[in-house]
Amino acid sequence: MIYTKEEFRRELMHKLEGDWNIKVISRWAYQIYVDRCDQFEDGLYNIVMDIVVMEEGAEFEMTKEEILELF
């Protein structure tokens, strides 16, 4: 079954409603990658990895607004 950008976006929006914590969001996105990367819709890989990499340093961090612009 294909895991779509819209499904990921909905789940991400739910995560972003809570406390804004880059590590939590990044690790959540990594878990999505591990669990479902073989089911990704075309173009979803890059979006997920842009979020995963945020934990690697300030130069990769994005605001909530910048994350939502990925879609």
Side-chain angles (χ1 to χ4, degrees):
M1 183 168 168
I2 299 292
Y3 184 62
T4 67
K5 291 179 193 175
E6 183 56 33
E7 288 175 286
F8 180 74
R9 185 183 160 289
R10 268 194 309 261
E11 292 177 18
L12 178 60
M13 292 295 293
H14 180 71
K15 281 300 232 188
L16 294 175
E17 288 174 4
D19 290 333
W20 174 243
N21 184 314
I22 287 176
K23 286 185 180 185
V24 170
I25 300 298
S26 176
R27 290 174 185 174
W28 169 81
Y30 179 71
Q31 192 60 52
I32 294 291
Y33 168 76
V34 169
D35 293 344
R36 305 185 108 177
C37 66
D38 60 335
Q39 302 167 357
F40 281 180
E41 171 183 27
D42 288 341
L44 182 55
Y45 173 83
N46 290 335
I47 294 170
V48 172
M49 294 313 290
D50 283 347
I51 296 170
V52 168
V53 76
M54 288 195 311
E55 187 176 9
E56 298 303 319
E59 66 271 23
F60 301 111
E61 292 179 9
M62 293 182 275
T63 65
K64 289 181 185 181
E65 293 75 22
E66 288 172 325
I67 290 173
L68 296 176
E69 288 175 7
L70 294 174
F71 296 91

Coordinates of all heavy atoms in Angstrom, one line a residue:
M1 N 0.8 -1.2 0.0 CA 0.0 0.0 0.0 C 0.9 1.2 0.0 O 1.9 1.3 0.7 CB -0.9 0.0 1.2 CG -1.9 1.1 1.3 SD -3.1 0.8 2.6 CE -3.8 2.4 2.6
I2 N 0.5 2.2 -0.8 CA 1.3 3.4 -0.9 C 1.1 4.4 0.3 O -0.1 4.5 0.7 CB 0.9 4.2 -2.2 CG1 1.2 3.3 -3.5 CG2 1.6 5.5 -2.3 CD1 2.7 3.1 -3.7
Y3 N 2.1 4.9 0.8 CA 2.1 5.9 1.9 C 2.2 7.3 1.2 O 3.2 7.6 0.6 CB 3.2 5.7 2.9 CG 3.1 6.6 4.1 CD1 2.0 6.6 5.0 CD2 4.2 7.4 4.4 CE1 2.0 7.4 6.1 CE2 4.2 8.2 5.5 CZ 3.1 8.2 6.3 OH 3.1 9.0 7.4
T4 N 1.1 8.1 1.2 CA 1.1 9.3 0.4 C 1.6 10.5 1.2 O 1.7 10.5 2.4 CB -0.3 9.6 0.0 OG1 -1.1 9.9 1.1 CG2 -0.9 8.4 -0.8
K5 N 1.9 11.5 0.4 CA 2.3 12.8 1.0 C 1.2 13.3 1.9 O 1.5 13.9 2.9 CB 2.6 13.8 -0.1 CG 3.9 13.5 -0.9 CD 4.0 14.6 -2.0 CE 5.0 14.2 -3.0 NZ 5.1 15.1 -4.1
E6 N 0.0 13.2 1.5 CA -1.2 13.7 2.2 C -1.3 13.0 3.6 O -1.5 13.6 4.6 CB -2.5 13.5 1.4 CG -3.7 14.1 2.2 CD -3.5 15.6 2.6 OE1 -2.9 16.4 1.8 OE2 -4.1 16.0 3.6
E7 N -1.0 11.7 3.6 CA -1.1 10.9 4.9 C 0.0 11.4 5.8 O -0.2 11.7 7.0 CB -0.9 9.4 4.6 CG -2.1 8.7 4.0 CD -1.8 7.3 3.7 OE1 -1.0 7.1 2.7 OE2 -2.3 6.4 4.5
F8 N 1.2 11.6 5.2 CA 2.4 12.1 6.0 C 2.1 13.5 6.5 O 2.3 13.8 7.7 CB 3.6 12.0 5.2 CG 4.8 12.5 5.9 CD1 5.4 11.8 6.9 CD2 5.4 13.8 5.7 CE1 6.5 12.2 7.6 CE2 6.5 14.2 6.3 CZ 7.1 13.5 7.3
R9 N 1.6 14.3 5.7 CA 1.2 15.7 6.0 C 0.2 15.7 7.2 O 0.4 16.5 8.1 CB 0.7 16.5 4.8 CG 0.4 17.9 5.1 CD -0.2 18.6 3.8 NE -0.8 19.8 4.2 CZ -2.0 19.9 4.9 NH1 -2.6 18.9 5.3 NH2 -2.5 21.1 5.1
R10 N -0.8 14.9 7.1 CA -1.8 14.9 8.2 C -1.2 14.5 9.5 O -1.4 15.1 10.6 CB -2.9 13.9 7.9 CG -4.1 14.5 7.2 CD -5.3 13.6 7.2 NE -5.0 12.2 6.7 CZ -5.2 11.8 5.5 NH1 -5.7 12.6 4.6 NH2 -4.8 10.6 5.1
E11 N -0.4 13.4 9.5 CA 0.3 12.9 10.7 C 1.3 14.0 11.2 O 1.4 14.2 12.4 CB 1.0 11.6 10.4 CG 0.1 10.5 10.2 CD 0.8 9.2 9.8 OE1 2.0 9.1 10.1 OE2 0.1 8.3 9.3
L12 N 2.0 14.6 10.3 CA 2.9 15.7 10.7 C 2.2 16.9 11.4 O 2.6 17.4 12.4 CB 3.7 16.2 9.5 CG 4.7 17.3 9.7 CD1 5.8 16.9 10.7 CD2 5.3 17.7 8.4
M13 N 1.1 17.3 10.8 CA 0.3 18.4 11.3 C -0.1 18.1 12.8 O -0.1 18.9 13.6 CB -1.0 18.6 10.5 CG -0.7 19.2 9.1 SD 0.1 20.8 9.2 CE -1.3 21.8 9.8
H14 N -0.5 16.8 13.0 CA -0.9 16.4 14.4 C 0.3 16.5 15.3 O 0.2 17.0 16.4 CB -1.4 15.0 14.3 CG -1.8 14.5 15.7 ND1 -3.0 14.9 16.3 CD2 -1.3 13.5 16.5 CE1 -3.1 14.3 17.5 NE2 -2.0 13.5 17.6
K15 N 1.5 16.1 14.8 CA 2.7 16.2 15.7 C 3.0 17.7 15.9 O 3.5 18.0 17.0 CB 3.9 15.6 14.9 CG 4.0 14.1 15.0 CD 4.1 13.7 16.4 CE 5.2 12.7 16.7 NZ 5.1 12.2 18.0
L16 N 2.8 18.5 15.0 CA 3.2 19.9 15.1 C 2.2 20.7 16.0 O 2.6 21.8 16.5 CB 3.3 20.6 13.8 CG 4.4 20.1 12.8 CD1 4.3 20.8 11.5 CD2 5.7 20.4 13.4
E17 N 1.1 20.1 16.3 CA 0.1 20.8 17.2 C 0.7 20.8 18.7 O 0.3 21.7 19.4 CB -1.2 20.0 17.2 CG -2.0 20.2 16.0 CD -3.3 19.4 15.9 OE1 -3.6 18.7 16.9 OE2 -3.9 19.4 14.9
G18 N 1.5 19.9 19.0 CA 2.0 19.8 20.4 C 3.2 20.8 20.6 O 3.4 21.7 19.8
D19 N 4.0 20.5 21.6 CA 5.2 21.3 21.8 C 6.1 21.2 20.6 O 6.4 20.1 20.1 CB 5.9 20.8 23.1 CG 5.1 21.1 24.3 OD1 4.4 22.1 24.3 OD2 5.3 20.4 25.3
W20 N 6.7 22.3 20.2 CA 7.6 22.3 19.1 C 9.0 21.9 19.6 O 9.7 22.6 20.4 CB 7.7 23.7 18.5 CG 8.7 23.9 17.5 CD1 9.8 24.7 17.5 CD2 8.8 23.3 16.2 NE1 10.6 24.6 16.4 CE2 9.9 23.7 15.5 CE3 8.0 22.3 15.6 CZ2 10.3 23.3 14.3 CZ3 8.4 21.9 14.3 CH2 9.5 22.4 13.7
N21 N 9.4 20.7 19.2 CA 10.7 20.2 19.6 C 11.3 19.5 18.3 O 10.8 18.5 17.8 CB 10.5 19.1 20.7 CG 11.8 18.6 21.2 OD1 12.7 18.3 20.4 ND2 11.9 18.6 22.5
I22 N 12.4 20.1 17.8 CA 13.0 19.6 16.6 C 13.4 18.2 16.7 O 13.2 17.4 15.8 CB 14.2 20.5 16.2 CG1 13.6 21.9 15.7 CG2 15.1 19.9 15.2 CD1 14.6 22.9 15.4
K23 N 14.0 17.8 17.9 CA 14.5 16.4 18.0 C 13.3 15.4 17.9 O 13.4 14.4 17.3 CB 15.2 16.3 19.3 CG 16.6 16.9 19.3 CD 17.4 16.6 20.6 CE 18.7 17.2 20.4 NZ 19.6 16.9 21.5
V24 N 12.2 15.8 18.6 CA 11.0 14.9 18.6 C 10.5 14.7 17.2 O 10.2 13.6 16.7 CB 10.0 15.4 19.5 CG1 8.6 14.6 19.4 CG2 10.4 15.3 21.0
I25 N 10.4 15.8 16.4 CA 9.8 15.8 15.1 C 10.8 15.1 14.2 O 10.4 14.2 13.3 CB 9.6 17.2 14.6 CG1 8.6 18.0 15.4 CG2 9.2 17.2 13.1 CD1 7.2 17.4 15.5
S26 N 12.1 15.3 14.3 CA 13.1 14.7 13.4 C 13.1 13.2 13.7 O 13.1 12.4 12.7 CB 14.4 15.3 13.8 OG 15.4 14.6 13.0
R27 N 13.1 12.7 14.9 CA 13.1 11.3 15.2 C 11.8 10.6 14.8 O 11.8 9.5 14.4 CB 13.4 11.1 16.7 CG 14.8 11.5 17.1 CD 15.1 11.5 18.5 NE 16.5 12.0 18.7 CZ 17.0 12.2 19.9 NH1 16.3 11.9 21.0 NH2 18.2 12.7 20.0
W28 N 10.7 11.3 14.9 CA 9.4 10.8 14.5 C 9.5 10.5 13.0 O 9.1 9.5 12.5 CB 8.3 11.7 14.8 CG 7.0 11.4 14.2 CD1 6.1 10.4 14.5 CD2 6.5 11.9 12.9 NE1 5.1 10.3 13.6 CE2 5.3 11.3 12.7 CE3 6.9 12.9 12.1 CZ2 4.5 11.6 11.5 CZ3 6.2 13.2 11.0 CH2 5.0 12.6 10.7
A29 N 10.0 11.5 12.2 CA 10.1 11.4 10.8 C 11.1 10.2 10.4 O 10.8 9.5 9.5 CB 10.6 12.7 10.1
Y30 N 12.1 10.1 11.2 CA 13.0 9.0 10.9 C 12.3 7.6 11.1 O 12.5 6.7 10.3 CB 14.3 9.0 11.8 CG 15.2 7.9 11.6 CD1 16.0 7.8 10.4 CD2 15.4 6.9 12.5 CE1 16.8 6.7 10.2 CE2 16.2 5.8 12.3 CZ 16.9 5.7 11.1 OH 17.8 4.7 10.9
Q31 N 11.5 7.5 12.1 CA 10.8 6.3 12.4 C 9.8 6.0 11.2 O 9.6 4.8 10.8 CB 10.0 6.3 13.7 CG 9.5 5.0 14.2 CD 10.6 4.0 14.3 OE1 11.6 4.2 15.0 NE2 10.5 2.8 13.7
I32 N 9.2 7.0 10.7 CA 8.3 6.9 9.5 C 9.2 6.3 8.4 O 8.7 5.4 7.7 CB 7.6 8.2 9.1 CG1 6.7 8.6 10.2 CG2 7.0 8.1 7.8 CD1 5.4 7.8 10.3
Y33 N 10.3 6.9 8.2 CA 11.2 6.4 7.1 C 11.5 4.9 7.3 O 11.4 4.1 6.4 CB 12.5 7.2 7.1 CG 13.6 6.6 6.2 CD1 13.5 6.7 4.8 CD2 14.6 5.9 6.8 CE1 14.4 6.1 4.0 CE2 15.6 5.3 6.0 CZ 15.5 5.4 4.6 OH 16.4 4.8 3.8
V34 N 12.0 4.5 8.5 CA 12.3 3.1 8.8 C 11.1 2.2 8.5 O 11.3 1.1 7.9 CB 12.8 3.0 10.2 CG1 13.0 1.5 10.6 CG2 14.2 3.7 10.4
D35 N 10.0 2.6 9.0 CA 8.8 1.7 8.9 C 8.2 1.7 7.5 O 7.6 0.6 7.2 CB 7.7 2.2 9.9 CG 8.1 2.1 11.4 OD1 9.1 1.3 11.7 OD2 7.5 2.7 12.2
R36 N 8.3 2.7 6.7 CA 7.5 2.8 5.5 C 8.2 3.3 4.3 O 7.5 3.5 3.3 CB 6.3 3.8 5.8 CG 5.5 3.4 7.0 CD 4.3 4.2 7.2 NE 3.2 3.4 6.8 CZ 1.9 3.8 6.9 NH1 1.6 5.0 7.3 NH2 0.9 3.0 6.6
C37 N 9.5 3.4 4.3 CA 10.2 3.9 3.1 C 9.9 3.1 1.8 O 9.9 3.7 0.8 CB 11.7 4.0 3.4 SG 12.5 2.5 3.6
D38 N 9.6 1.9 1.9 CA 9.4 1.1 0.7 C 8.0 1.3 0.2 O 7.6 0.8 -0.9 CB 9.6 -0.4 1.0 CG 8.7 -1.0 2.1 OD1 8.2 -0.2 3.0 OD2 8.4 -2.2 2.1
Q39 N 7.2 2.1 0.9 CA 5.8 2.4 0.5 C 5.6 3.9 0.1 O 4.5 4.3 -0.2 CB 4.8 2.1 1.7 CG 4.9 0.7 2.1 CD 4.2 0.5 3.5 OE1 3.7 1.5 4.1 NE2 4.1 -0.7 3.9
F40 N 6.7 4.7 0.1 CA 6.5 6.1 -0.1 C 6.0 6.4 -1.6 O 6.5 5.9 -2.5 CB 7.9 6.8 0.0 CG 8.3 7.1 1.4 CD1 9.5 7.7 1.7 CD2 7.5 6.7 2.5 CE1 9.9 8.0 3.0 CE2 7.9 7.0 3.8 CZ 9.1 7.6 4.1
E41 N 5.1 7.4 -1.6 CA 4.7 8.0 -2.9 C 5.9 8.7 -3.5 O 6.8 9.2 -2.7 CB 3.6 8.9 -2.6 CG 3.1 9.8 -3.7 CD 2.0 10.8 -3.3 OE1 1.9 11.2 -2.2 OE2 1.3 11.1 -4.2
D42 N 6.0 8.8 -4.8 CA 7.0 9.6 -5.4 C 7.1 11.0 -4.8 O 6.1 11.7 -4.6 CB 6.8 9.7 -6.9 CG 7.1 8.4 -7.6 OD1 7.7 7.5 -7.1 OD2 6.6 8.3 -8.8
G43 N 8.3 11.4 -4.4 CA 8.5 12.8 -3.9 C 8.5 12.8 -2.4 O 8.9 13.8 -1.8
L44 N 8.0 11.8 -1.7 CA 7.9 11.9 -0.3 C 9.2 11.6 0.4 O 9.5 12.2 1.5 CB 6.9 10.8 0.2 CG 6.6 10.8 1.7 CD1 6.2 12.2 2.2 CD2 5.5 9.8 2.1
Y45 N 10.1 10.9 -0.2 CA 11.4 10.6 0.4 C 12.1 11.9 0.8 O 12.6 12.1 1.9 CB 12.2 9.7 -0.5 CG 13.7 9.6 0.0 CD1 14.0 8.6 0.9 CD2 14.7 10.4 -0.5 CE1 15.3 8.4 1.4 CE2 16.0 10.2 -0.1 CZ 16.3 9.3 0.9 OH 17.6 9.1 1.3
N46 N 12.2 12.8 -0.2 CA 12.9 14.1 0.0 C 12.3 14.9 1.2 O 13.0 15.5 1.9 CB 13.0 14.9 -1.2 CG 13.9 14.2 -2.3 OD1 14.8 13.5 -1.9 ND2 13.6 14.5 -3.5
I47 N 11.0 14.9 1.2 CA 10.3 15.7 2.3 C 10.7 15.1 3.7 O 11.0 15.8 4.6 CB 8.8 15.7 2.1 CG1 8.4 16.5 0.8 CG2 8.1 16.3 3.3 CD1 7.0 16.3 0.3
V48 N 10.5 13.8 3.8 CA 10.8 13.1 5.0 C 12.3 13.3 5.4 O 12.6 13.7 6.6 CB 10.5 11.6 5.0 CG1 11.0 10.9 6.2 CG2 9.0 11.4 4.8
M49 N 13.2 13.2 4.5 CA 14.6 13.3 4.8 C 15.0 14.8 5.2 O 15.8 15.0 6.0 CB 15.5 12.8 3.7 CG 15.4 11.3 3.5 SD 15.5 10.3 5.0 CE 17.2 10.5 5.5
D50 N 14.3 15.8 4.6 CA 14.5 17.2 5.0 C 14.1 17.4 6.5 O 14.8 18.2 7.2 CB 13.7 18.1 4.1 CG 14.3 18.3 2.7 OD1 15.5 17.9 2.5 OD2 13.6 18.8 1.9
I51 N 13.2 16.6 6.9 CA 12.7 16.7 8.3 C 13.7 15.9 9.2 O 14.1 16.4 10.3 CB 11.3 16.3 8.5 CG1 10.4 17.3 7.7 CG2 10.9 16.3 10.0 CD1 8.9 16.9 7.6
V52 N 14.0 14.8 8.8 CA 14.9 13.9 9.6 C 16.3 14.6 9.9 O 16.8 14.6 11.0 CB 15.2 12.6 8.8 CG1 16.4 11.8 9.5 CG2 14.0 11.7 8.8
V53 N 16.8 15.3 8.9 CA 18.1 15.9 9.0 C 18.1 17.1 9.9 O 19.2 17.6 10.3 CB 18.7 16.2 7.6 CG1 18.0 17.4 7.0 CG2 20.2 16.4 7.6
M54 N 17.0 17.6 10.3 CA 17.0 18.8 11.2 C 17.7 18.6 12.5 O 18.3 19.6 13.0 CB 15.5 19.2 11.5 CG 14.7 19.8 10.4 SD 13.2 20.6 10.9 CE 12.4 19.5 12.0
E55 N 17.8 17.4 12.9 CA 18.5 17.1 14.2 C 20.0 17.2 14.1 O 20.7 17.3 15.1 CB 18.1 15.7 14.7 CG 18.6 15.4 16.1 CD 18.1 14.0 16.6 OE1 17.5 13.3 15.8 OE2 18.3 13.8 17.7
E56 N 20.5 17.3 12.9 CA 21.9 17.2 12.6 C 22.6 18.6 12.8 O 23.9 18.6 12.8 CB 22.2 16.7 11.3 CG 21.7 15.2 11.1 CD 22.3 14.3 12.1 OE1 23.5 14.4 12.4 OE2 21.5 13.4 12.6
G57 N 21.9 19.6 13.0 CA 22.6 20.9 13.2 C 21.7 22.1 12.9 O 20.7 21.9 12.2
A58 N 22.0 23.2 13.5 CA 21.2 24.4 13.3 C 21.0 24.8 11.9 O 20.0 25.4 11.5 CB 21.8 25.6 14.1
E59 N 22.0 24.5 11.0 CA 21.9 24.9 9.6 C 20.8 24.1 8.9 O 20.4 24.5 7.8 CB 23.3 24.7 8.9 CG 23.7 23.3 8.8 CD 24.6 22.8 10.0 OE1 24.5 23.4 11.1 OE2 25.4 21.9 9.8
F60 N 20.3 23.0 9.5 CA 19.3 22.2 8.9 C 17.9 22.5 9.5 O 16.9 21.9 9.0 CB 19.6 20.7 9.0 CG 20.9 20.4 8.3 CD1 22.0 20.0 9.1 CD2 21.1 20.4 6.9 CE1 23.2 19.6 8.5 CE2 22.2 20.1 6.3 CZ 23.3 19.7 7.1
E61 N 17.9 23.2 10.6 CA 16.6 23.4 11.3 C 15.6 24.3 10.4 O 16.1 25.1 9.7 CB 16.8 24.1 12.6 CG 17.5 23.2 13.6 CD 17.8 23.8 14.9 OE1 17.3 24.9 15.2 OE2 18.6 23.2 15.7
M62 N 14.4 24.0 10.6 CA 13.3 24.7 9.9 C 12.3 25.1 10.9 O 12.1 24.5 11.9 CB 12.6 23.9 8.8 CG 13.5 23.5 7.6 SD 12.6 22.6 6.4 CE 12.8 20.9 7.1
T63 N 11.6 26.2 10.6 CA 10.4 26.6 11.4 C 9.2 25.7 11.0 O 9.3 25.0 9.9 CB 10.0 28.1 11.2 OG1 9.6 28.2 9.8 CG2 11.2 29.0 11.5
K64 N 8.1 25.8 11.8 CA 6.9 25.0 11.4 C 6.5 25.5 10.0 O 6.1 24.7 9.2 CB 5.8 25.3 12.4 CG 6.0 24.6 13.7 CD 4.8 25.0 14.6 CE 5.1 24.4 16.0 NZ 3.9 24.7 16.9
E65 N 6.5 26.8 9.7 CA 6.1 27.3 8.5 C 6.9 26.8 7.3 O 6.4 26.4 6.2 CB 6.1 28.8 8.5 CG 5.1 29.5 9.4 CD 5.5 29.4 10.9 OE1 6.7 29.2 11.2 OE2 4.6 29.5 11.7
E66 N 8.2 26.7 7.5 CA 9.1 26.2 6.5 C 8.8 24.7 6.2 O 8.9 24.3 5.1 CB 10.6 26.4 6.9 CG 11.0 27.8 6.8 CD 12.4 28.1 7.4 OE1 12.7 27.4 8.4 OE2 13.1 28.9 6.9
I67 N 8.6 24.0 7.3 CA 8.2 22.5 7.1 C 7.0 22.4 6.2 O 6.9 21.6 5.3 CB 8.1 21.8 8.4 CG1 9.4 21.7 9.2 CG2 7.4 20.5 8.3 CD1 9.4 21.2 10.6
L68 N 6.0 23.2 6.5 CA 4.7 23.1 5.8 C 4.9 23.5 4.3 O 4.1 23.0 3.5 CB 3.6 23.8 6.5 CG 3.3 23.3 7.9 CD1 2.2 24.2 8.6 CD2 2.7 21.9 7.9
E69 N 5.8 24.3 4.0 CA 6.1 24.7 2.7 C 6.7 23.6 1.8 O 6.7 23.7 0.6 CB 7.0 25.9 2.6 CG 6.3 27.2 3.1 CD 7.2 28.4 3.2 OE1 8.4 28.3 2.7 OE2 6.8 29.5 3.7
L70 N 7.2 22.5 2.5 CA 7.8 21.4 1.8 C 6.7 20.7 0.9 O 7.0 20.0 -0.1 CB 8.4 20.4 2.7 CG 9.6 20.9 3.5 CD1 9.9 19.8 4.6 CD2 10.8 21.2 2.6
F71 N 5.5 20.9 1.3 CA 4.4 20.2 0.5 C 3.9 21.1 -0.6 O 3.0 20.9 -1.3 CB 3.3 19.8 1.5 CG 3.7 18.8 2.5 CD1 4.2 19.2 3.8 CD2 3.6 17.5 2.3 CE1 4.5 18.3 4.7 CE2 4.0 16.5 3.2 CZ 4.5 17.0 4.5

